[in-house]
Amino acid sequence: MFRYGILSTASIIDRFIAGIRESQDSYVQAIASRNLETAKKAAKRLNIENYYGSYGELLCANNIDIVYIPTVNSQHYENCKKALKHHKHVIVEKPFALTVLEAKELFTLAKKIIVF
């Protein structure tokens, strides 16, 4: 069973969560926002058991295998990099990086950290 953590309460998450729930081998474990009350409201609305008031808390959680990152475009690179450094697999909205150098860095980091 793959356990997903969602790093935002952006409006696109509803569709992503619907897809995860159709899967027979995945589960939405937690959601995070930069504000605890926002995360709590989203978790309640979406029937997600765990929620965090910071992205860092979710990334440190041992019960998250894959992090979905639907944050604003300018934050994709940093959030992806942080998730990889916490040994999380990552699904990130496009663009996942804003420069070729950022993209190369993320691929290099993923190859070093994530074991397939």
Side-chain angles (χ1 to χ4, degrees), residues 44-112:
K44 183 177 180 178
R45 180 178 67 80
L46 296 163
N47 197 28
I48 299 171
E49 186 175 338
N50 301 294
Y51 55 89
Y52 300 98
S54 76
Y55 296 159
E57 287 179 277
L58 184 139
L59 294 175
C60 288
N62 292 328
N63 60 352
I64 303 290
D65 303 307
I66 304 167
V67 176
Y68 172 53
I69 303 172
T71 55
V72 297
N73 292 353
S74 62
Q75 294 298 307
H76 289 173
Y77 164 76
E78 281 300 325
N79 290 325
C80 188
K81 185 174 174 180
K82 288 176 185 175
L84 289 169
K85 286 186 174 186
H86 281 87
H87 299 266
K88 307 294 187 196
H89 294 272
V90 175
I91 296 175
V92 62
E93 286 293 324
K94 65 181 192 299
F96 74 96
L98 297 178
T99 69
V100 171
L101 290 176
E102 288 177 351
K104 287 180 179 181
E105 181 183 355
L106 291 176
F107 275 108
T108 300
L109 186 59
K111 287 177 185 177
K112 287 180 184 176

Side-chain angles (χ1 to χ4, degrees), residues 6-14 31-35 38-43 45-46 55 70-71:
I6 300 175
L7 214 65
S8 175
T9 57
S11 61
I12 195 169
I13 66 171
D14 293 55
I31 189 165
S33 176
R34 293 171 292 174
N35 175 285
T38 302
K40 183 178 180 178
K41 286 178 184 176
R45 180 178 67 80
L46 296 163
Y55 296 159
T71 55

